[in-house]
Amino acid sequence: MKKITRREALKYLGNSALSAALASLGVSAFTSCTEKGKKRLVFYFTATGNCLYAALQFSDTPLSIPQVLKETDLVFEADEIGLVFPDYQARAPQIVQRFLENATLKAPYLFTIITYGRWACNVVEWWNNFALSRGVRFNYITTILMVDNFLPVFDMTEEMKIDKQEDAQLAQAVADVAAEKDYIPVLSDEERKRCEAVLAHLTPILPVRSETLFRLRPDRCVDCCFCTRVCPRQCITLTSRGIVFEGDCEYCLACIQNCPQNAIELKNGERNPAARYRNPNISINEIVRANRQ
Ligand SMILES: Cc1cc2nc3c(=O)[nH]c(=O)nc-3n(C[C@H](O)[C@H](O)[C@H](O)COP(=O)(O)O)c2cc1C
């Protein structure tokens, strides 16, 4: 197998399709080596960059789940394997669930980092049970409070003003994982009851068709096609009629949040249609590379 440096792997990841890279170089090109000499693989899903920023704290070359899912061989082996994804209504995004259902993760130490914006509710417990029911036993699961990108409820301008101390939380998680700490927080009975009561009254956001969710502002759209390229499900295309939404949506909001013209709106309304969010450390091209289909 051809050996490349981590820097080359990163460049490779940026310049060509991940599937081609995995096929020609093998997954070892994306395995980082920890200070203790352990081989670590990190997989992530992101819409607005929080999870990519978090994943980069654990590996220089994290692998994007929407890209990895294009592969047929989903068997991964390392000393440590980690997943980083956002909390969606106290669940994992559908694409992350699909990844766990289809991949074989062989590692003595398995960890998960879940980013969330306001209330993680019982997401850790749910994820742990989901994984166990598929034969995957995580050693460590934690949540990291970051900007809440859920546009129907939160104003992105206000959210960005709140200091959520994400770097301190991430530093703790990085240290925990480096020490291969075993830790899965357990909810008290009272917390569990509160979560169940709230979730019972919450309208599930999925499944939803993208054509019912989004409205395009033709006066603003310049056909730059960033929306088509940040969608992890290929639900957006440029046609002779302009941008068209069609297909089962992930509800990640990557299209709406990353549109440079602010030309996409939620049909059912938003807290502040003028405000959009992407993690300040992550570029739109990194989101494109992570999600394009
Ligand atoms: C559809 C959807 C549902 C969400 N549900 C929750 C939730 O239940 N609790 C919460 O605290 N944050 C929730 N969030 C916020 C995200 O988990 C959070 O902003 C995350 O850090 C975004 O990660 P990303 O930037 O990598 O996409 C939700 C976001 C979306 C888009």
Side-chain angles (χ1 to χ4, degrees), residues 119 121 188-200:
W119 187 36
C121 195
S188 67
D189 289 346
E190 203 177 305
E191 286 169 325
R192 186 173 302 105
K193 270 192 204 141
R194 195 172 145 230
C195 290
E196 281 163 7
V198 170
L199 289 173

Side-chain angles (χ1 to χ4, degrees), residues 45-52 86-90 115-120 146-150 205 251-253 277:
F45 173 62
T46 193
T48 56
N50 288 350
C51 291
L52 175 53
D87 173 347
Y88 286 179
Q89 271 193 351
T115 75
Y116 72 107
R118 199 51 58 120
W119 187 36
M146 299 178 85
V147 162
D148 200 313
N149 66 358
F150 192 59
I205 49 180
Y251 210 133
C252 70
L253 307 179
Y277 171 72

Side-chain angles (χ1 to χ4, degrees), residues 88-89 91-95 97 202-214 233 235 247-252 268:
Y88 286 179
Q89 271 193 351
R91 302 286 177 265
Q94 303 163 88
I95 204 162
Q97 296 184 34
L202 217 62
T203 313
I205 49 180
L206 296 166
V208 66
R209 297 280 298 174
S210 60
E211 54 270 36
T212 65
L213 208 57
F214 303 107
R233 281 188 172 237
C235 286
D248 293 328
C249 183
E250 187 69 39
Y251 210 133
C252 70
N268 284 341

Side-chain angles (χ1 to χ4, degrees), residues 21-170:
L22 281 174
S24 66
L25 300 165
V27 81
S28 66
F30 301 94
T31 312
S32 45
C33 212
T34 68
E35 279 173 16
K36 290 185 180 161
K38 302 254 180 174
K39 287 184 177 165
R40 182 186 291 167
L41 269 175
V42 174
F43 300 89
Y44 71 96
F45 173 62
T46 193
T48 56
N50 288 350
C51 291
L52 175 53
Y53 179 67
L56 284 165
Q57 314 308 309
F58 295 86
S59 165
D60 289 345
T61 53
L63 286 160
S64 153
I65 288 173
Q67 303 307 326
V68 169
L69 276 174
K70 293 175 188 167
E71 298 301 307
T72 44
D73 180 9
L74 293 177
V75 180
F76 301 99
E77 200 162 357
D79 297 316
E80 300 170 348
I81 295 181
L83 267 63
V84 187
F85 61 80
D87 173 347
Y88 286 179
Q89 271 193 351
R91 302 286 177 265
Q94 303 163 88
I95 204 162
V96 176
Q97 296 184 34
R98 189 146 55 85
F99 174 69
L100 197 78
E101 281 168 339
N102 290 292
T104 304
L105 307 178
K106 294 182 182 173
Y109 187 75
L110 289 168
F111 64 96
T112 299
I113 310 297
I114 305 172
T115 75
Y116 72 107
R118 199 51 58 120
W119 187 36
C121 195
N122 61 355
V123 69
V124 169
E125 193 166 276
W126 178 86
W127 175 246
N128 193 33
N129 290 335
F130 178 81
L132 286 172
S133 71
R134 274 124 189 111
V136 181
R137 184 174 291 278
F138 281 96
N139 302 78
Y140 179 89
I141 306 177
T142 199
T143 53
I144 307 287
L145 179 66
M146 299 178 85
V147 162
D148 200 313
N149 66 358
F150 192 59
L151 289 171
V153 176
F154 297 104
D155 177 337
M156 295 301 104
T157 311
E158 293 305 316
E159 269 298 299
M160 283 185 274
K161 284 184 198 158
I162 306 170
D163 180 7
K164 303 206 179 183
Q165 311 215 325
E166 58 202 40
D167 285 331
Q169 300 171 67
L170 281 166

Side-chain angles (χ1 to χ4, degrees), residues 265-282:
E265 292 173 346
L266 278 175
K267 281 185 181 169
N268 284 341
E270 303 170 34
R271 177 59 74 87
N272 180 357
R276 297 291 180 251
Y277 171 72
R278 185 172 56 253
N279 186 292
N281 303 292
I282 301 298

